[in-house]
Every structure is written in structure tokens, then in C-alpha cells.
Amino acid sequence: MTSSIEERSKRMIHTAGCIIIGDEVLGGKTIDTNSTYFAKFCFSLGMNLKRIEVIADDESEIVEAARRMSENYDFVVTSGGIGPTHDDITYQSIASAFNLKLKLHDEALQRMKTLSKPHPSQPNFSYDIPSPALEAKLRMIKLPIDDTRGEESQILFVDDTLWVPISVVNGNVHILPGVPKLFERLLDGLKPRLVPRLTDPEGKGIHRILISTPMAESAVAGYLTELARKVEPKGIKVGSYPRWGKGRNTVTLVGRDKGYMESLIPEVEKNVQGIKVDREDEADHLNPEDLES
């Protein structure tokens, strides 16, 4: 059953999705760091990040992805495509996805005038004189607006030092810029609004335990399979990650039951001849015999 916009905007957040939008990412020109930051953000708050997609600056792809993720996940962010140039089409595409019109947002305009400094290449720029540069700037604050709902829940200003808004569409799709520093600051600024809707109200998130092992993955695969089967009813996931050329691999335990996970450490250390670490490279200087004492 399709959820209402109001229900999506207020329900508890269990799952999340991320859409990275940009031809420059798909073409290898730009290295995406926003999805990694978002993944860590979700992990720290106990959100189950279910999907990250990288798609082109193509309206049909943005429309399809935004609709699907809005329906499938509780909390969705997009990154990229909201700049001043012709290929920045995220706002118009997501407006199209949910049958909305783009409207110039007055408060965003006033904040832009106050907080945005003229570029050195535009010393004579004026908000009062029509120009191609002005029209380009205004593209960034023509936002998808649902006239049937209050704007205060659709346009969020979460950082007093930034004019850039977070546009919230269909109750759960949050449109963020692709510039990493802006993406990170706005996402962090959104956190106080999300915490009350989390299963863990204090935002303590999920716990991860790292075990560094000198053994090959194939050597520990049988034990890890049995361990995963044993801990699955407790909501614990077991992972194994090769570290090519480092001489050691990493076994992980991920879940919410910290006490139970910690009780497993001696068993796991013994069976993989490993040691608990805080960083994957922490035990790289050790030899297997160093761990036997």
C-alpha cells in the first residue's frame, strides 16, 4: 500500500537509500565521497542503508530512481545536480517525478543575497539587474514545492552560515548538493531532526567489532559460516574482508547487541588466530607467533 506524504515525513526511520547524480562520477572525472560519508552517517545512527545508486544527469533515470527509493525506503538523500548550469537538472527532474512545479523560494533568495559572496570574475554582479548570471543563480533556488503542504516541512535551512536549503520532496526525499563540504555540513545539520524518529532515540547506532587475522579467507570460511548461522537470530552479521598485500585480513561482527558481540570475541580470536583491533591496520606489524602468548 502506498504511504501518504505526511506518514512518510513522520514515520520511524529504519531504512535509507542514497542516489548519487552526476555524469562526472560515472565518467571517472569526480571521485564520489558523499556516499561513503552517508554510509558512515547511517551506521552511526543505526539506520539500515539498503542501497546506493550512481546515475546519470538524465531526467528519466532521476525520476525512476527517486520514485522507487521514496517508496521503498524511509529516508532518502540525493547528491548532485543542483548547481547553476544547464546540466544541473535534479530539482526539475524530482519535481517531475512527483508532479510538482518549481518555484523561486523567497527565503532562499534572501539568504543567498546575504550569505553568498560575488565571485571574483563577477565584480559587477547585481541581483537587481537581469543578466544570464542572475538567471543561473536563481536556478539554484527554484525548488519543487507541493502547494497542498506547508513549506516549512519542505524547505529546510539547517545551517545558519549557509544559504543552501535542503529540499524535501514526497515526505522523505532530501535533495543535497554534490559538493562534499556542503553535503557533509547539511547532512550533519539534519541530524537533530532525524534522531527523534530513530529506533535508538539517542542515535547510538550499530556496533562494529574488528578482528585482525593473519589467516587466509579460505582458511576461516568454514568457521565463519557456522558462526554466521549461530549469531543470525541475534541480529548479528559476520563479515570477512581481504586486505590485499597487507598480510592480514579482517573479520567483522556488526549488530546492536554489544554485550553479546563482545562475549564472542575470545571465541573468534581463537578460531581465526586473530586479535581485536580498533583499526584494520593496527596489527599489521604483528606476526602470527606474536599472538600465541
Side-chain angles (χ1 to χ4, degrees):
M1 184 175 68
T2 302
S3 303
S4 70
I5 295 174
E6 285 301 318
E7 191 274 333
R8 270 191 297 272
S9 68
K10 296 178 181 179
R11 69 188 177 196
M12 296 297 289
I13 298 174
H14 301 285
T15 59
C18 178
I19 309 171
I20 305 297
I21 301 168
D23 292 342
E24 67 277 13
V25 178
L26 289 171
K29 177 181 178 295
T30 298
I31 297 175
D32 164 49
T33 60
N34 290 343
S35 62
T36 300
Y37 193 86
F38 183 64
K40 292 179 179 178
F41 179 84
C42 290
F43 187 90
S44 71
L45 295 178
M47 288 188 233
N48 188 4
L49 178 57
K50 302 290 287 185
R51 183 174 293 271
I52 296 172
E53 294 185 8
V54 182
I55 63 176
D57 293 302
D58 178 279
E59 181 165 332
S60 63
E61 291 194 25
I62 297 171
V63 167
E64 188 280 328
R67 286 175 176 168
R68 171 170 43 82
M69 287 213 186
S70 180
E71 181 64 26
N72 290 345
Y73 308 123
D74 301 321
F75 176 61
V76 179
V77 302
T78 73
S79 163
I82 61 172
T85 59
H86 69 283
D87 56 345
D88 291 305
I89 61 170
T90 296
Y91 283 142
Q92 71 188 55
S93 300
I94 293 182
S96 176
F98 300 103
N99 300 311
L100 304 176
K101 294 181 179 180
L102 294 179
K103 293 189 175 183
L104 185 69
H105 194 263
D106 290 336
E107 183 178 353
L109 175 58
Q110 294 307 313
R111 292 172 67 96
M112 178 185 280
K113 289 180 178 179
T114 302
L115 298 172
S116 177
K117 298 179 180 179
H119 191 274
S121 67
Q122 299 172 311
N124 299 318
F125 174 81
S126 171
Y127 285 98
D128 300 319
I129 301 174
S131 67
L134 175 60
E135 186 58 34
K137 283 182 177 291
L138 296 183
R139 277 176 61 91
M140 296 188 286
I141 51 173
K142 290 181 178 178
L143 309 174
I145 300 292
D146 184 345
D147 290 329
T148 67
R149 304 177 62 235
E151 287 191 9
E152 68 278 358
S153 63
Q154 300 182 67
I155 309 299
L156 308 179
F157 294 98
V158 299
D159 188 321
D160 290 338
T161 66
L162 298 175
W163 63 263
V164 184
I166 297 177
S167 176
V168 185
V169 180
N170 207 42
N172 66 345
V173 178
H174 300 70
I175 305 174
L176 275 68
V179 178
K181 287 184 178 180
L182 292 177
F183 180 91
E184 293 170 11
R185 286 174 63 181
L186 291 175
L187 187 62
D188 289 342
L190 193 58
K191 180 178 175 179
R193 298 171 183 263
L194 303 177
V195 168
R197 297 169 56 199
L198 299 173
T199 304
D200 173 6
E202 297 181 4
K204 292 180 180 177
I206 303 172
H207 304 286
R208 179 190 282 127
I209 291 175
L210 307 177
I211 307 288
S212 176
T213 172
M215 298 180 70
E217 284 196 296
S218 57
V220 299
Y223 166 69
L224 295 182
T225 298
E226 291 301 317
L227 177 63
R229 185 177 297 117
K230 180 175 77 171
V231 302
E232 183 180 9
K234 294 278 192 177
I236 309 299
K237 290 189 176 182
V238 178
S240 176
Y241 302 95
R243 300 177 62 237
W244 301 109
K246 299 297 183 180
R248 304 187 69 85
N249 297 323
T250 304
V251 172
T252 64
L253 303 175
V254 178
R256 296 181 183 277
D257 192 337
K258 186 177 182 181
Y260 178 65
M261 291 165 59
E262 290 181 339
S263 74
L264 295 170
I265 293 174
E267 172 196 333
V268 179
E269 287 181 327
K270 178 180 178 181
N271 282 277
V272 304
Q273 299 178 20
I275 184 172
K276 178 183 177 297
V277 294
D278 294 323
R279 303 186 325 273
E280 283 193 295
D281 62 356
E282 188 177 321
D284 285 357
H285 64 288
L286 298 177
N287 295 315
E289 54 268 23
D290 295 328
L291 304 177
E292 294 174 359
S293 58

